[in-house]
Amino acid sequence: MQRKWEVRFSGTGGQGIIRSAVILAQAALYDGFDAVQSQSYGPESRGGSTKGEVVIDDEIIYYPKVNLPNLVVCLSQEAYKKYGADIRENGILIVDSSICKDDNKVPENVKVYEFPIIETAREEIQNELSANVLSLGIVTGLTEIVSEQSMIAALTETFKKNILESNLKAFALGLKIAQTAKN
Amino acid sequence: MTNNTINKIRLVQGNEACALGAIKAGATFYSGYPITPSTEVAEHIANKFPRIGRHFIQMEDEIASIGAAIGASTVGHKAFTATSGPGFSLMQELIGYAAIAEIPVVIINVMRAGPSTGLPTMPAAGDVQQARWGTHGDHSIIAISPNSVMETYYETINAFNLAEQYRTPVLLMMDEKVGHLRERFEEDEANEPVIMYRPAPKEGEKFVPYANVECGVPHILPLGKGERYHITGLTHGETGFYTAQPKAVSKFVGRLSDKIELNVDKIAKIEENYTDDAEVLVLSYGSSARSAHEAVKTLREQGHKVGMVRLITLWPFHDAKIAALCEGKKAVIVPEMNLGQMAREVQRVAKGVPVLPMCRVDGDLMTPDEIIAKVKEVL
């Protein structure tokens, strides 16, 4: 299994991008890894592009930021434009299908997955805001960064009871989508 | 993974760890005015304090915030406030007041890039000399710079302990990266932190509020609890009343400085890694020190004799210890997120050793690769 993961979630302010990073980091701690989550945002809290980063390692992490990520999730066109090409060799890029990638700027050896993340959240969960948790399901299903069990524990820790169920559903949907892509 | 470990391990943000540290230290009063990137400290305190019978007040600005904290401390509260650069500038005069009136208070400054409004959401270390000299007049000060979430927790407790022990304002100089970083939070149950309180007279002992005691720190009693005494920002004698008598003033101003500077061995924490056989030293603090540590670790793995020194305490600056650590080195490299503010201190004490500042003021953290490249230039 890959030892060190540098993960970058990107999208628009308000999409729960930083929350995704926090949940992944929490799950990684449960799995016994060291994890550091950092963020970068502008003075505005809605709109504008946002990134949430997580470094996961089985050794102590000193430098807390993502240097060059090996997993990138893009949930908006602007985020894709900014972060889509900034990815390590043989890395994984997960983008929402609504994003236009005609520019071919993604390095060739990067594995690109395209899923209707936002649309599925809107249609199946009746809530676009679940797109962040749905993408966590996809990340968990496609990679071995963290265990499903720890992710569920982290989600349960994060969400209040009244919204936990829909988020667990979004997570399960993400896992299913990833499984289909793998087969 | 068991349920038990899940309950113990938490992912906590630096600013929250600071709030948790303040609660653990026994802080009972917070007054503040929210400002990025320190706001989460206020948010957590506003949430927790009322539930445990402690006091949270949002003030109209930063001058009022530190004023209220100082006032609360005079009646016996362990009081604190949190801010960032612009607010820290506004607080300077009253930091001096707390220093001369010897009122314990803790000021959290989560540094962002300046000057003025600067880069509100990005880290810097541009206030570290302001911490030392921002308020006018001769005085000493204690300033601490943690570089991780767990250290923020323990050093916040330490900040309160030092404020109480030395009757002085203590500045916790975090930066945006440390304040907003989330990482593992796990208290060391085997080493419960010591919680200290201000020195009070023993039963029946005469109370002299500004006594020239040998240890430098006179007793203190809360106002309104039986003893009447005078507190002023003017130079004062042992009773607390104004004096311009040269001998008394000289003794008093000297004591304000000495009570901290002469205890530098007890106060200043300096972390050393791989220094024994090091030919080149990297000296850093705050979040830059995390990049530096990563860089030095990599250089050691490559077989280079490089050592790492981290200032946990910025002020008082330990002249003798830093001088000894620098002695005989080929060079000392000082990465920091300003234009060389602490490098000047190192240059002052490292006689005959080239001290090379390494500066970054664009709101981004220095990368380990930059530091590795700089070290390789001098190896």
Side-chain angles (χ1 to χ4, degrees), chain A residues 13-179:
Chain A
Q15 272 185 322
I17 297 301
I18 291 169
R19 178 62 68 89
S20 306
V22 172
I23 295 168
L24 181 66
Q26 178 115 23
L29 289 184
Y30 292 162
D31 275 341
F33 297 110
D34 196 11
V36 177
Q37 185 272 328
S38 67
Q39 63 206 47
S40 145
Y41 60 97
E44 70 279 52
S45 63
R46 297 287 179 275
S49 66
T50 305
K51 62 174 176 173
E53 300 183 336
V54 191
V55 180
I56 297 168
D57 204 341
D58 55 10
E59 288 182 358
I60 295 173
I61 298 162
Y62 294 104
Y63 181 63
K65 286 183 51 166
V66 163
N67 205 358
L68 192 58
N70 39 23
L71 173 63
V72 177
V73 178
C74 294
L75 289 185
S76 80
Q77 189 70 47
E78 200 189 332
Y80 169 75
K81 226 168 105 188
K82 233 170 151 174
Y83 307 117
D86 194 15
I87 188 161
R88 203 177 283 270
E89 225 171 273
N90 301 317
I92 300 168
L93 173 66
I94 299 169
V95 295
D96 187 74
S97 321
S98 66
I99 291 167
C100 165
K101 330 195 270 5
D102 288 351
D103 53 6
N104 291 324
K105 64 175 187 167
V106 179
E108 257 183 43
N109 49 25
V110 168
K111 182 104 176 107
V112 183
Y113 291 94
E114 203 179 315
F115 302 113
I117 301 170
I118 297 171
E119 191 191 312
T120 310
R122 188 170 53 229
E123 302 294 324
E124 309 275 333
I125 315 285
Q126 282 81 47
N127 189 355
E128 266 190 29
L129 292 178
S130 295
N132 64 339
V133 174
L134 205 144
S135 47
L136 282 174
I138 295 173
V139 167
T140 311
L142 283 181
T143 70
E144 287 171 344
I145 305 179
V146 289
S147 67
E148 202 179 308
Q149 186 196 10
S150 290
M151 277 301 295
I152 289 170
L155 289 166
T156 310
E157 180 71 25
T158 304
F159 293 106
K160 287 193 180 129
K161 265 193 184 141
N162 57 338
I163 51 167
L164 177 60
E165 201 186 322
S166 65
N167 276 293
L168 288 176
K169 198 175 152 197
F171 179 70
L173 264 173
L175 281 176
K176 211 171 103 190
I177 289 172
Q179 216 49 54

Side-chain angles (χ1 to χ4, degrees), chain B residues 44-56:
Chain B
H44 285 286
I45 292 297
N47 183 17
K48 300 267 166 54
F49 266 21
R51 296 167 202 265
I52 52 177
R54 305 185 191 180
H55 308 278
F56 170 91

Side-chain angles (χ1 to χ4, degrees), chain B residues 40-349:
Chain B
E40 295 84 0
V41 177
E43 282 177 352
H44 285 286
I45 292 297
N47 183 17
K48 300 267 166 54
F49 266 21
R51 296 167 202 265
I52 52 177
R54 305 185 191 180
H55 308 278
F56 170 91
I57 306 181
Q58 179 169 328
M59 301 303 292
E60 67 270 31
D61 62 30
E62 288 88 348
I63 299 175
S65 298
I66 187 168
I70 290 170
S73 182
T74 61
V75 297
H77 284 286
K78 283 192 182 181
F80 75 121
T81 185
T83 190
S84 187
F88 193 56
S89 290
L90 287 173
M91 290 180 181
Q92 290 305 325
E93 189 193 354
L94 283 175
I95 290 174
Y97 182 84
I100 197 169
E102 298 181 76
I103 301 166
V105 64
V106 173
I107 296 111
I108 315 290
N109 177 13
V110 188
M111 291 184 282
R112 65 193 221 182
S116 188
T117 319
L119 286 167
T121 58
M122 297 172 192
D127 312 348
V128 294
Q129 287 289 350
Q130 187 189 18
R132 179 64 186 88
W133 302 109
T135 195
H136 58 278
D138 275 303
H139 64 288
S140 188
I141 198 88
I142 299 175
I144 306 167
S145 173
N147 82 336
S148 71
V149 167
M150 237 23 257
E151 190 170 86
T152 297
Y153 174 73
Y154 286 113
E155 286 308 319
T156 303
I157 297 169
N158 187 30
F160 279 95
N161 283 346
L162 292 168
E164 296 285 309
Q165 223 181 327
Y166 292 97
R167 286 187 66 173
T168 179
V170 174
L171 315 173
L172 190 79
M173 308 293 285
M174 299 165 69
D175 61 57
E176 186 276 338
K177 227 23 339 81
V178 172
H180 282 160
L181 210 62
R182 286 184 180 87
E183 55 187 350
R184 180 190 295 266
F185 183 91
E186 214 176 352
E187 280 176 86
D188 181 358
E189 284 170 0
N191 289 305
E192 190 60 16
V194 178
I195 307 297
M196 301 179 103
Y197 295 89
R198 50 197 72 176
K202 288 189 194 83
E203 186 96 26
E205 201 179 346
K206 190 174 176 337
F207 172 58
V208 183
Y210 294 95
N212 280 316
V213 287
E214 201 176 319
C215 71
V217 190
H219 291 148
I220 182 169
L221 280 174
L223 282 178
K225 294 274 165 67
E227 289 280 355
R228 284 170 58 181
Y229 64 100
H230 193 241
I231 300 176
T232 177
L234 291 164
T235 54
H236 42 270
E238 291 190 301
T239 58
F241 284 97
Y242 169 66
T243 180
Q245 209 268 322
K247 260 191 188 161
V249 172
S250 170
K251 203 166 189 178
F252 172 63
V253 177
R255 181 173 63 74
L256 277 187
S257 203
D258 286 350
K259 70 175 178 180
I260 293 169
E261 298 297 328
L262 297 181
N263 284 309
V264 64
D265 276 336
K266 285 188 205 154
I267 300 169
K269 290 188 190 172
I270 296 163
E271 184 188 81
E272 294 169 40
N273 278 293
Y274 323 100
T275 47
D276 286 349
D277 62 342
E279 290 165 2
V280 172
L281 216 56
V282 178
L283 186 149
S284 193
Y285 57 92
S287 54
S288 302
R290 294 183 68 128
S291 309
H293 202 137
E294 178 93 36
V296 171
K297 194 176 144 236
T298 307
L299 285 160
R300 276 282 165 178
E301 282 162 8
Q302 293 170 1
H304 300 293
K305 289 187 172 169
V306 183
M308 165 85 201
V309 173
R310 181 166 71 92
L311 305 177
I312 301 170
T313 313
L314 299 175
W315 308 111
F317 191 81
H318 203 312
D319 289 15
K321 199 160 182 185
I322 298 300
L325 281 166
C326 293
E327 202 189 328
K329 299 292 180 288
K330 245 192 233 175
V332 180
I333 295 165
V334 186
E336 52 184 334
M337 280 187 289
N338 55 44
L339 292 177
Q341 296 191 17
M342 292 309 283
R344 291 170 70 106
E345 292 303 308
V346 184
Q347 279 162 344
R348 184 173 59 75
V349 299

